[in-house]
Structure formats: C-alpha cells, structure tokens
Amino acid sequence: MHKIFTNSLFVGKKVIHLPKCHSTNSIAAGFVTSGQAYEGTVIITDHQTAGRGQRGSVWESEPGENLTFSVILNPIFLTPHQQFFLTIVSSLAVYNIVKKEVEDAKIKWPNDIYCGHKKIGGILIENSVKRNKIETSVVGIGLNVNQLNFSIDSATSLQIVTGRKFDKAGLLEGICYHLETAYLQLRAGNKEALRQLYLNNLLGINERRLFADDAGEFHGCIRGITALGQLVIQTELGERTYNMKEVQFLF
Ligand code: BTN
C-alpha cells in the first residue's frame, strides 16, 4: 500500500502510511501547520478512528476494508471564490475510478459518489487561504471498497455492488492519477472543460426529480451550477439557487 506511484508526476510520490490514526485530514492539517506539507503527499490509514465527513458528520469505515486518505495540494492559482473547482477535480477523480467498475455511478452534488441510490464515496476538502489565494488544500477521500455491512442502509461498497473483492492499492493509484490529471488541467486553465465533465456526470442533471428545502418538497430539474458551485434547480416557480445544506435530493 505504500509503494511510490509510477504513473503520476507528484501526487503519490510521497505516501505516508499510518496503520491507525484519528483522521487523515487532521494529520494532513498538522503537516500544513508545521510547514511539512509537500504538494502531492498522500496520507493514508487502514484504521481511521475519528473520520470526519461534511457538515461536521462522522465518516465511519471498517478497519482494513476501505480507502481513507488525504492528498495535500497547493492550488495558489485559485482564489477562494474558485474553490469549487477543487470539488470538481476531486469528484471526477473518484468518479472515474468507480465508473470503470459500476455502470450507474454518478456524482451527487456537490461531491458524493453514488451507485444507484447509495453512497459509495465521500470527499472532505479543507482549504487554507493566504493573500486571497488558496495556499493549501487537503482533499480527504473515503471510498468504500470491500466492506460488506454498513450501519446505514444508504451506504454501499464496490464489493457489494459488483460481487468482487478489490485491490485497494490499485484503486488508490488510479484515483491519484486521475486527481493529478484533472488538477493539472485546472492549473492549465481548462476550467470550462472540467465544469462540463462534472455536469455531464451529475446525478439527476436535466431530469425531473423530487427535492426538499426549508419550504417543503418540490419537483424540479437540476440545470447546472453557478460560478461559486451552488446548485441551480429549475422549478415550476422559476429557477432557484442553493448552497450546500439548503436542499436535499429525494430519491
Ligand atoms: C462526506 O461525504 O461526508 C465526506 C467524507 C470524507 C471522509 C474522508 S476519509 C479520509 C479523510 N479523513 C477524514 O477525516 N475524512 C476524509
């Protein structure tokens, strides 16, 4: 699990493998604070005891069965207003690997990976900003690989969906390769192409679906995202724009 990746330029050239830790994102944040955060460093653990998810949630993962890791990036070419592009590149990286194995894989806005109605992967991005640029980004990825039982019905894994056991090291290398490829595209300024790829693979795009917001349930079609990454839904009453937490996708 800790070999150096041969097909990437910098993501995964340094891999720190911790048999057990509280949270790879927190460990990575520690490296950032102590000035030891080299771009492309991967911190991976077999047993994450206090995995953190979006919106203060907990990310649970059975020891040894799944991928739980963080990648350190230095996207100083992005302003905080452009941070959604990090969501785009990391979602595409995980999506590309899952899609190779599962036909109906999709990105669920903003950065969950779904197979059918179930979540197979999640991403937690934590940025630090200096002089209006994103100095460091910790991209934390959890992908359910060989776990067979979950405490919640809405979660799944690659083995449950395909009936096959997976080599975690190969999947890790694949995600890092795709992350680096998309990140280099972003650095080269190909923002529109990345945005379009993200939208093309977004769950429910241009389909009539049921949603819920503060006011209750409603039908609508996802039409896209704003420059800041907010979700744009066309409803019977016109177009509405949502931040994270403000809208729920009902299957
Ligand atoms: C979510 O969907 O809520 C995001 C989950 C992110 C989990 C990963 S596992 C590796 C990294 N370390 C953490 O503490 N969280 C992320």
Side-chain angles (χ1 to χ4, degrees), residues 23-25 48 50-54 57 59 67-70 112 119 121-124 140-142:
S23 155
T24 58
N25 263 39
Q48 191 168 242
R52 295 187 287 111
Q54 293 155 21
S57 64
W59 183 260
L67 280 175
T68 45
F69 67 100
S70 303
D112 290 337
K119 180 163 165 172
I123 300 166
L124 176 68
I141 295 174

Side-chain angles (χ1 to χ4, degrees), residues 147-191:
Q147 184 169 335
L148 291 176
N149 296 298
F150 290 91
S151 57
I152 45 170
D153 192 45
S154 56
T156 194
S157 71
L158 279 174
Q159 188 172 182
I160 292 175
V161 178
T162 63
R164 285 182 288 122
K165 208 169 163 70
F166 284 82
D167 165 40
K168 290 189 294 164
L171 295 170
L172 173 67
E173 188 163 2
I175 293 171
C176 288
Y177 169 76
H178 283 287
L179 180 63
E180 180 177 291
T181 305
Y183 182 73
L184 289 176
Q185 254 187 289
L186 177 61
R187 200 160 77 179
N190 295 333
K191 291 195 180 71

Side-chain angles (χ1 to χ4, degrees), residues 24-25 38 50 63 78 84 97 104 114 132 152 213 226 240:
T24 58
N25 263 39
Y38 304 107
L78 292 179
F84 197 77
I97 286 302
D104 69 345
Y114 265 65
N132 203 37
I152 45 170
D213 64 10
T226 67
R240 294 188 200 166

Side-chain angles (χ1 to χ4, degrees), residues 4 6 71-72 91 105 110 129 137 157 171 185 214:
I4 291 169
T6 47
V71 182
I72 296 172
S91 302
V129 175
S137 180
S157 71
L171 295 170
Q185 254 187 289
D214 275 357

